[in-house]
Amino acid sequence: MKIMELPEFMADATNVYRTQNYIVRQKIELRDDPEFGRYLFSADTYYLCTPKRDREYESMFAGSFVRNGRRIHTPMYVRRYVD
């Protein structure tokens, strides 16, 4: 039995969802800052949809009720885009 390798957009993800043009990986962390205190932070990576990525996404979430998912809201986030 061959073990399937996870797509890049699934690695270390807290949440994964799809928009019209992107598959988005959210990595949510609880940060503790001496000046600002404790807060939730999301590092979002936007992967441009390609036929290969769409197939991988469909395969990963084939049994999901809400296939495209939704973003988990956090008070602070950064974005990075991948072609």
Side-chain angles (χ1 to χ4, degrees):
M1 178 179 195
K2 184 178 179 181
I3 297 175
M4 185 177 130
E5 236 181 86
L6 284 178
E8 182 181 6
F9 58 81
M10 293 295 294
D12 298 323
T14 305
N15 182 39
V16 176
Y17 65 96
R18 183 168 56 180
T19 67
Q20 183 175 353
N21 299 310
Y22 295 96
I23 296 171
V24 184
R25 173 182 67 192
Q26 278 189 279
K27 291 170 67 174
I28 298 174
E29 300 175 9
L30 182 62
R31 298 275 175 103
D32 197 6
D33 184 274
E35 185 176 346
F36 299 110
R38 193 170 278 166
Y39 60 91
L40 280 177
F41 175 83
S42 179
D44 302 348
T45 305
Y46 285 68
Y47 294 89
L48 188 63
C49 285
T50 63
K52 179 181 184 258
R53 287 188 185 128
D54 281 336
R55 282 191 307 273
E56 291 172 333
Y57 185 92
E58 290 291 332
S59 174
M60 296 300 299
F61 297 101
S64 296
F65 177 71
V66 180
R67 187 163 299 165
N68 288 334
R70 294 186 179 186
R71 185 173 196 286
I72 297 172
H73 294 284
T74 59
M76 186 177 285
Y77 65 90
V78 296
R79 292 181 176 183
R80 178 174 76 104
Y81 290 85
V82 177
D83 287 340

